[in-house]
Amino acid sequence: SQQGEEDPQALSIQEGENATMNCSYKTSINNLQWYRQNSGRGLVHLILIRSNEREKHSGRLRVTLDTSKKSSSLLITASRAADTASYFCATDGGWGKLQFGAGTQVVVTP
Amino acid sequence: DAGVIQSPRHEVTEMGQEVTLRCKPISGHDYLFWYRQTMMRGLELLIYFNNNVPIDDSGMPEDRFSAKMPNASFSNLKIQPSEPRDSAVYFCASSFGEQPQHFGDGTRLSIL
């Protein structure tokens, strides 16, 4: 069963715009991670936020975590065509065992 | 720096045949995970190993599936006999301790 649910399922934006996607989960977590998957490729880790953190930045990525609402958001600023991919949140309840959401498909048009 | 290597990249076989998927994790990593990805069910964890020992195989769908890790540099996932509903992309991932997982590019399996 999937722990995280992403919203929206799909997102289409133009280059330069920001992309925001959300993830909700059900049980307590040690950390929450975001991964990117390009078509036909494996998942690539983007960023990890621990349960005691509220916000984290990495380059053009900004992740927030609200444990009281059991939700997280991923913001990609100044998007590029190369950001076209599916984005997944994954919750780690302990021991490194991840549960992935269904993903958000992002299309960035030039 | 070699990442996680999976073989074959594509496999097409007939129902009832045995299928073997292979994975070489990143050297030094002590965790290895097998996932299955389908449109209907998303990404599911099948089994994971720590230091070559299976820790949790609760995601393995049924007895037709088995996985082994004979040493730190190799794991395989077998399906015998295969069925059309086993068609999916199978991913292997590895990690060191609590570090994020590194994924291979997967094996796209089609069972006719």
Side-chain angles (χ1 to χ4, degrees):
Chain A
S1 64
Q2 291 171 0
Q3 157 83 308
E5 296 291 335
E6 280 98 338
D7 170 53
Q9 289 186 329
L11 185 58
S12 185
I13 56 174
Q14 290 194 317
E15 267 191 328
E17 294 182 337
N18 295 342
T20 300
M21 58 211 86
N22 304 295
C23 170
S24 59
Y25 58 92
K26 297 172 185 170
T27 60
S28 62
I29 60 171
N30 279 0
N31 64 68
L32 185 143
Q33 303 177 32
W34 287 90
Y35 285 78
R36 183 188 75 226
Q37 184 179 30
N38 290 89
S39 180
R41 304 297 300 273
L43 281 72
V44 174
H45 180 262
L46 295 176
I47 196 164
L48 179 153
I49 186 165
R50 301 192 187 282
S51 59
N52 60 353
E53 297 176 311
R54 293 296 167 259
E55 188 171 312
K56 204 159 183 182
H57 296 254
S58 176
R60 294 184 295 113
L61 305 180
R62 173 179 168 252
V63 169
T64 62
L65 179 64
D66 186 335
T67 52
S68 67
K69 295 181 179 178
K70 290 186 168 59
S71 68
S72 173
S73 69
L74 171 67
L75 167 68
I76 305 172
T77 60
S79 62
R80 306 166 181 169
D83 295 328
T84 294
S86 292
Y87 292 81
F88 295 87
C89 69
T91 53
D92 181 355
W95 308 108
K97 184 177 174 180
L98 298 180
Q99 283 191 286
F100 286 84
T104 294
Q105 203 164 8
V106 175
V107 174
V108 182
T109 53
Chain B
D1 215 14
V4 175
I5 300 171
Q6 292 187 246
S7 63
R9 287 297 315 276
H10 303 272
E11 175 88 13
V12 180
T13 192
E14 291 189 346
M15 181 175 65
Q17 297 297 307
E18 179 178 285
V19 172
T20 300
L21 310 181
R22 298 174 178 82
C23 175
K24 177 178 170 56
I26 292 173
S27 177
H29 282 190
D30 56 354
Y31 282 87
L32 184 139
F33 305 83
W34 281 100
Y35 293 90
R36 178 172 69 175
Q37 186 177 39
T38 61
M39 289 294 293
M40 290 294 294
R41 300 176 67 89
L43 198 65
E44 304 172 277
L45 175 66
L46 301 177
I47 184 172
Y48 77 96
F49 297 81
N50 177 226
N51 291 321
N52 314 338
V53 176
I55 302 301
D56 186 344
D57 65 355
S58 59
M60 295 286 262
E62 44 197 276
D63 292 346
R64 297 184 298 106
F65 285 68
S66 64
K68 292 184 179 177
M69 191 166 185
N71 57 62
S73 58
F74 177 74
S75 175
N76 63 30
L77 177 69
K78 288 190 177 183
I79 308 172
Q80 168 62 20
S82 57
E83 296 182 2
R85 60 191 167 124
D86 302 331
S87 298
V89 182
Y90 290 81
F91 288 102
C92 175
S94 70
S95 67
F96 176 70
E98 294 185 347
Q99 298 299 310
Q101 295 179 23
H102 295 254
F103 282 73
D105 279 335
T107 295
R108 185 173 294 276
L109 178 64
S110 296
I111 308 296
L112 307 177

